[in-house]
Amino acid sequence: MEKNTSRFFSNFSLGITCLIAFITLILLRVVYVIYRSGKPLNRRSPPQAIATLIVLGSGGHTAEMINLLLVLQKDRFTPRFYIAAATDNMSLQKARVLETSRADSQSGVEGISAEFMQIYRSREVGQSYVTSVWTTLVATVHALWLMIKIRPQVVLCNGPGTCFPLCVIAFIFKVVGIRWSSIFYVESIARVKRLSLSGLLLYKLQIADQFFVQWPELQRKYPRAHYVGCLM
Amino acid sequence: MGESKDGVKGKRVVFVTVGTTCFDALVKVVDSQEVKDELLRRGYTNLLIQMGRGSYLPTKSSGDDGSLAVDYFTFSSSIADHLRSASLVISHAGSGSIFETLQLGKPLIVVVNEDLMDNHQSELAEKLAERRHLYCARPPTLCQTIASMDLKSLVPYSPGDATPVAKLINRWFSIHHFSDWHAIATAKSAQLVRKYDQPFILSGDNKEWKSLLRPLMID
């Protein structure tokens, strides 16, 4: 009996040691990813086609994002994947209009350079926080599914709640080694003195590689952010 | 603004918009006799209300008897045309409505919805009012704002620019425009000629090039 008990305990302590070692490795990897994410990619020559995920949000969010996309080189940042919340009807429509109008100006375009997808929302405006737990879980699983399909190299977002699970998953992909992506977050122009919840989380957890703000007060408050002036 | 269909010269429309929200407080106060009288006094002839998801229905009026002509609708796929034909815009504090109006150069009164929880929208309205691009009010103070506003004193809003963000993203991936390269190359050759006192051939493998490139890349 005693032999069995002692073997059990030695196996148990071995298991615990392995678990601790494993967790430590993951934490070290996370620290390394955060450290490495803060620096530009060290490349000899710029990449030719950067798969880009663009997260759209209702109202002003999409308008601001479109403003940014107009000045982003579309032949470099391609293919483009647009994601909007399932209950948001206007955003994908506006994105389609943008893509069609830009495709017209270029002749001989082959292949599909843009795809449009919808994602379940973590939380609707005014939804109770209790039911939000379940809907956030569903949204996260859906986000995981979409991210595995897309595996973007760049994530562009500007604030809607839908972007947070997507950014977290992109970060996890970096830690686990599925895909190294650069996450760029532009805080909305409507945020003058305080960050939005998504922005605050992405800033504090250092998930975003580059964090842009449009008003100088925010840059003073959050020094790791870049002040880029008004986009609209 | 020219002749309208019924031959009345100088139709001046006040366009009220609440976007996709429900903002009954604004629609109610705009529909009040006080505000309508004030708008008439300031020379406006028509009031058009986009009421969104609100439940309060304004009273329509043809304005034939010299009063303010009032009409309303819930949504439209694009309010750009309504904004363009307005002489004054009264809007909720949504950033989309605000900037769409400012970019069209229309005088704007932004009314902040006091019933919203965590009202961050008021920050933007107050900031732009501070810079004198628009007037900022709350439903109770709207009448007073209309009475005392001086639209000529508003400062036109110059459109923003997204290129700083695009530039920073490009630099992240070491993507440069020709103009960047030209400036970098010119400055670089001058620097290296001074250092080595001879013409210098720049190539991608050059360590000097890489190490001195960094400071030149920052605006």
Side-chain angles (χ1 to χ4, degrees):
Chain A
M1 276 313 275
E2 276 207 10
K3 235 190 193 169
N4 286 338
T5 332
S6 65
R7 202 180 304 159
F8 169 74
F9 276 119
S10 68
N11 282 345
F12 186 65
S13 57
L14 182 66
I16 291 281
T17 316
C18 284
L19 187 64
I20 291 174
F22 183 67
I23 291 175
T24 312
L25 279 170
I26 300 242
L27 286 174
L28 284 172
R29 172 72 183 166
V30 168
V31 167
Y32 168 73
V33 165
I34 291 179
Y35 165 75
R36 192 68 192 77
S37 294
K39 298 160 185 288
L41 299 182
N42 193 10
R43 305 191 68 102
R44 290 204 47 185
S45 61
Q48 285 311 304
I50 307 166
T52 306
L53 170 63
I54 298 153
V55 186
L56 302 172
S58 52
H61 290 292
T62 296
E64 288 185 50
M65 187 53 87
I66 286 179
N67 234 35
L68 171 58
L69 292 169
L70 285 171
V71 294
L72 215 57
Q73 290 168 280
K74 68 185 193 60
D75 47 341
R76 287 277 191 185
F77 295 92
T78 191
R80 289 175 293 283
F81 301 91
Y82 293 89
I83 290 190
T87 47
D88 178 1
N89 303 312
M90 296 296 297
S91 294
L92 284 178
Q93 185 54 32
K94 289 184 187 162
R96 275 184 224 270
V97 168
L98 171 73
E99 286 291 332
T100 333
S101 67
R102 295 185 91 192
D104 285 343
S105 57
Q106 198 178 336
S107 56
V109 171
E110 291 167 18
I112 308 163
S113 59
E115 268 187 59
F116 305 90
M117 293 169 233
Q118 290 189 309
I119 188 174
Y120 292 117
R121 250 196 176 144
S122 318
R123 185 178 160 266
E124 296 288 339
V125 175
Q127 187 182 340
S128 79
Y129 286 103
V130 176
T131 54
S132 299
V133 174
W134 168 249
T135 50
T136 304
L137 252 104
V138 169
T140 311
V141 171
H142 192 210
L144 190 62
W145 168 245
L146 290 173
M147 285 296 277
I148 288 173
K149 280 208 292 183
I150 303 173
R151 289 194 303 278
Q153 291 162 281
V154 164
V155 180
L156 278 180
C157 49
N158 66 357
T162 36
C163 74
F164 186 68
L166 292 166
C167 290
V168 168
I169 291 167
F171 184 79
I172 292 173
F173 280 9
K174 278 203 266 201
V175 170
V176 169
I178 292 175
R179 168 79 91 190
W180 189 275
S181 58
S182 302
I183 301 171
F184 300 104
Y185 183 84
V186 186
E187 184 60 281
S188 165
I189 196 170
R191 294 292 179 167
V192 181
K193 298 196 182 106
R194 293 175 293 149
L195 289 182
S196 61
L197 182 60
S198 320
L200 196 61
L201 288 169
L202 291 176
Y203 181 86
K204 292 286 181 191
L205 297 174
Q206 299 202 47
I207 289 176
D209 291 54
Q210 293 237 286
F211 196 94
F212 302 111
V213 293
Q214 302 191 42
W215 297 97
E217 294 95 314
L218 282 178
Q219 208 273 320
R220 284 193 286 271
K221 224 172 152 181
Y222 301 99
R224 278 185 286 114
H226 295 267
Y227 166 56
V228 288
C230 294
L231 263 58
M232 294 292 281
Chain B
M1 301 302 289
E3 281 193 336
S4 69
K5 282 182 219 154
D6 51 17
V8 175
K9 283 203 180 129
K11 178 177 167 183
R12 296 185 73 215
V13 181
V14 179
F15 181 61
V16 179
T17 173
V18 304
T20 52
T21 67
C22 165
F23 194 179
D24 279 338
L26 172 60
V27 180
K28 262 190 207 149
V29 80
V30 157
D31 194 38
S32 70
Q33 204 53 49
E34 216 187 0
V35 167
K36 287 198 279 203
D37 287 344
E38 196 56 54
L39 288 173
L40 257 178
R41 210 171 294 139
R42 300 284 322 232
Y44 296 103
T45 58
N46 292 65
L47 175 63
L48 179 59
I49 306 173
Q50 181 264 319
M51 48 176 274
R53 288 189 282 126
S55 44
Y56 173 84
L57 298 176
T59 341
K60 287 200 195 195
S61 161
S62 61
D64 288 336
D65 54 347
S67 65
L68 197 69
V70 181
D71 194 8
Y72 66 87
F73 63 95
T74 50
F75 293 103
S76 131
S77 54
S78 160
I79 57 167
D81 289 331
H82 296 294
L83 291 174
R84 256 180 233 119
S85 55
S87 305
L88 171 68
V89 178
I90 299 177
S91 163
H92 75 131
S95 64
S97 303
I98 291 178
F99 286 106
E100 210 180 334
T101 309
L102 288 177
Q103 281 162 0
L104 287 171
K106 294 292 173 177
L108 173 60
I109 303 177
V110 171
V111 181
V112 174
N113 190 346
E114 300 175 298
D115 298 326
L116 284 180
M117 289 181 60
D118 183 33
N119 198 346
H120 74 89
Q121 284 185 336
S122 61
E123 287 178 18
L124 178 65
E126 282 158 18
K127 184 74 183 181
L128 292 171
E130 207 181 293
R131 295 190 174 183
R132 310 186 57 71
H133 294 304
L134 48 83
Y135 282 102
C136 186
R138 295 173 297 115
T141 66
L142 180 61
C143 193
Q144 174 59 30
T145 308
I146 294 170
S148 61
M149 69 187 179
D150 176 14
L151 297 181
K152 290 200 192 63
S153 72
L154 288 178
V155 175
Y157 181 76
S158 17
D161 184 16
T163 48
V165 183
K167 272 197 181 147
L168 285 168
I169 293 177
N170 282 347
R171 288 202 178 139
W172 188 262
F173 290 100
S174 312
I175 296 168
H176 296 287
H177 265 278
F178 174 71
S179 56
D180 285 353
W181 284 118
H182 187 79
I184 292 167
T186 316
K188 176 56 59 252
S189 359
Q191 211 164 9
L192 291 171
V193 162
R194 278 196 303 275
K195 185 173 179 181
Y196 293 100
D197 203 22
Q198 61 179 304
F200 211 98
I201 297 172
L202 299 167
S203 76
D205 294 332
N206 196 307
K207 270 197 195 145
E208 292 272 6
W209 169 262
K210 277 187 192 158
S211 67
L212 291 167
L213 200 60
R214 249 155 250 250
L216 290 176
M217 275 162 62
I218 295 161
D219 256 342

